[in-house]
Amino acid sequence: MSLLAEADHTKSGPAVRHRTVGVMIGPVQVGGGAPIVVQSMTNTDTADIDATVAQVARLARAGSEIVRITVDRDEAAAAVPKIRERLDRIGCDVPLVGDFHYIGHKLLDDHPACAEALAKYRINPGNVGFKDKKDRQFSMIVEKAIQHGKAVRIGANWGSLDQELLTHLMDLNAAQPAPLPAGAITREAMVQSALLSAERAIEIGLPKESIVISAKVSNVQDLIAVYRELARRSDYALHLGLTEAGMGSKGIVASSAALGVLLQEGIGDTIRFSLTPEPGGDRTLEVKTAQELLQTMGFRTFVPLVAACPGCGRTTSTVFQELAGDIQRWIDASMPEWKTTHPGVEELNVAVMGCIVNGPGESKHADIGISLPGTGEAPAAPVFIDGKKAVTLRGATIAADFKALVVEYIDRRYGKADRSAAE
């Protein structure tokens, strides 16, 4: 077989998406073949209405399509309808998910306006109740979801796993002639906790079309193993996330590694990067990194991304680095307007390259690209548009001149906005 013939038979691209039931979270569909949804969670005190509204709005502007908020006490529950009202008033219709632990049943019962304002309730089967109270309190939350027509995420978590179930499975395993490792039994307990709880919710009367499942752990290989089992044994919509992923590059790399493998296998309907922010850091980083993972893997497009070389001994000045950063920041700042005036612009490919070795070729592959000359970088930079050299830019205004060319290209390819009609 020739190389070309072999290439024709080479499998590329992600696997076919795991077939799951679609769930409506407010206006957003999760599962059922819908695009993979990005979500996030606030870290404000929900009782602080001003701070929570401000952070939810920032997360939504950054691209979070669902935002989860903590509902841990009466003051937080009482604040939820006011938060929803304030968000609606500023035109932010992002669905809110209530994160309930221990006393969710009581909060939903005592605060019906909270139950109505939320689009989804998150239940942790490991702490919804204990012993004889467990089924009763779980049932109360599910019944509130049915009453108000809300979705439910049944979210098992490694750190708060149902201990009765885990002990039962460990005892059964210990009685086997060849017991499995404890880690394997813990993973099985995670899977069973989520699936048994979902089955119980259906028995109570919650439609399958209202259930999302998650089973979060903090170890990459364990997460992959657990979700493979969930996908094999069910067709519930699946929420992916590595819990306690960590701070900085560690959290980003760990989440990307775990979620990337599962998404490539067609597993996952909605994702969150659970990143620990730096003190005073930007909470929207978890949204941006989730978007970048989906866009890098080819599942969705959110913003034009700037391809830029890493730099080497041939690029001893910082001109191309400054230019690449400038262009990316300018594109990010322009996207809110471009999304409404130039539909499809998020698919634009831009290249800012640093030297003559790979620069011209990479720039030709982009929709529009610029290639700087390398060492010394006395700027004389050819610009390539749709694979052809269009112009060479020189002097101190290269950045502004290149931006103008990008705008001209966007207007030509995606349609210049008719501002008078829009007004």
Side-chain angles (χ1 to χ4, degrees), residues 212-241:
V212 178
I213 293 289
S214 69
K216 292 189 173 184
V217 303
S218 56
N219 177 278
V220 170
Q221 296 297 339
D222 286 323
L223 189 85
I224 292 169
V226 165
Y227 274 94
R228 281 174 174 165
E229 274 301 293
L230 284 172
R232 186 180 68 83
R233 289 154 64 170
S234 76
D235 61 355
Y236 294 106
L238 296 177
H239 167 94
L240 302 187

Side-chain angles (χ1 to χ4, degrees), residues 8-305:
D8 288 341
H9 289 81
T10 299
K11 182 179 179 181
S12 63
V16 174
R17 291 275 300 280
H18 172 58
R19 184 175 295 177
T20 57
V21 174
V23 179
M24 295 305 300
I25 316 296
V28 177
Q29 180 172 325
V30 172
I36 298 163
V37 172
V38 172
Q39 61 177 279
S40 58
M41 184 176 182
T42 59
N43 62 356
T44 58
D45 178 358
T46 304
D48 185 338
I49 296 171
D50 290 342
T52 302
V53 168
Q55 190 173 86
V56 170
R58 283 196 300 273
L59 291 167
R61 281 196 299 271
S64 183
E65 294 156 303
I66 297 172
V67 176
R68 183 157 47 110
I69 59 177
T70 296
V71 188
D72 58 347
R73 64 194 196 280
D74 286 307
E75 293 82 358
V80 170
K82 299 174 184 177
I83 292 167
R84 179 72 274 165
E85 181 182 351
R86 289 265 297 273
L87 290 169
D88 290 340
R89 200 182 307 154
I90 62 175
C92 180
D93 63 353
V94 65
L96 296 178
V97 177
D99 196 58
F100 293 102
H101 299 276
Y102 304 107
I103 59 170
H105 62 292
K106 183 176 186 302
L107 294 175
L108 287 169
D109 193 48
D110 291 346
H111 299 273
C114 168
E116 182 57 39
L118 295 168
K120 183 173 71 172
Y121 311 154
R122 186 278 174 105
I123 307 175
N124 183 339
N127 60 31
V128 70
F130 303 98
K131 298 189 181 297
D132 59 324
K133 295 180 180 180
K134 179 178 179 179
D135 186 66
R136 176 167 53 85
Q137 294 177 180
F138 178 84
S139 298
M140 288 175 67
I141 298 177
V142 171
E143 287 164 0
K144 288 297 178 184
I146 296 168
Q147 176 186 342
H148 293 279
K150 306 299 180 178
V152 168
R153 171 155 76 94
I154 295 173
N157 191 292
W158 194 263
S160 50
L161 185 54
D162 183 334
Q163 292 302 303
E164 289 183 51
L165 175 61
L166 178 59
T167 300
H168 173 67
L169 292 177
M170 287 290 189
D171 289 344
L172 289 178
N173 182 59
Q176 298 302 310
L180 296 173
I185 303 306
T186 305
R187 290 193 294 270
E188 176 63 18
M190 288 281 290
V191 173
Q192 287 199 27
S193 178
L195 295 183
L196 291 172
S197 297
E199 290 172 10
R200 177 60 183 139
I202 291 173
E203 288 176 2
I204 295 167
L206 188 68
K208 195 171 191 177
E209 295 79 11
S210 295
I211 298 174
V212 178
I213 293 289
S214 69
K216 292 189 173 184
V217 303
S218 56
N219 177 278
V220 170
Q221 296 297 339
D222 286 323
L223 189 85
I224 292 169
V226 165
Y227 274 94
R228 281 174 174 165
E229 274 301 293
L230 284 172
R232 186 180 68 83
R233 289 154 64 170
S234 76
D235 61 355
Y236 294 106
L238 296 177
H239 167 94
L240 302 187
L242 191 74
T243 192
E244 288 89 40
M247 183 178 287
S249 60
K250 185 268 180 186
I252 293 171
V253 170
S255 291
S256 298
L259 273 58
V261 169
L262 291 167
L263 293 170
Q264 186 68 16
E265 294 180 3
I267 299 170
D269 301 293
T270 178
I271 67 172
R272 181 195 171 204
F273 272 46
S274 299
L275 303 179
T276 304
E278 300 284 347
D282 184 0
R283 189 68 169 179
T284 64
L285 178 62
E286 66 177 50
V287 179
K288 296 172 185 175
T289 49
Q291 288 181 326
E292 287 172 7
L293 176 66
L294 293 177
Q295 183 151 341
T296 299
M297 295 187 70
F299 290 106
R300 293 186 64 181
T301 53
F302 298 96
V303 297
L305 295 181

Side-chain angles (χ1 to χ4, degrees), residues 328-347:
Q328 184 69 72
R329 287 189 295 272
W330 170 69
I331 287 174
D332 290 344
S334 302
M335 275 305 293
E337 179 182 356
W338 286 351
K339 281 182 179 179
T340 59
T341 59
H342 297 77
V345 70
E346 62 273 10
E347 298 178 359

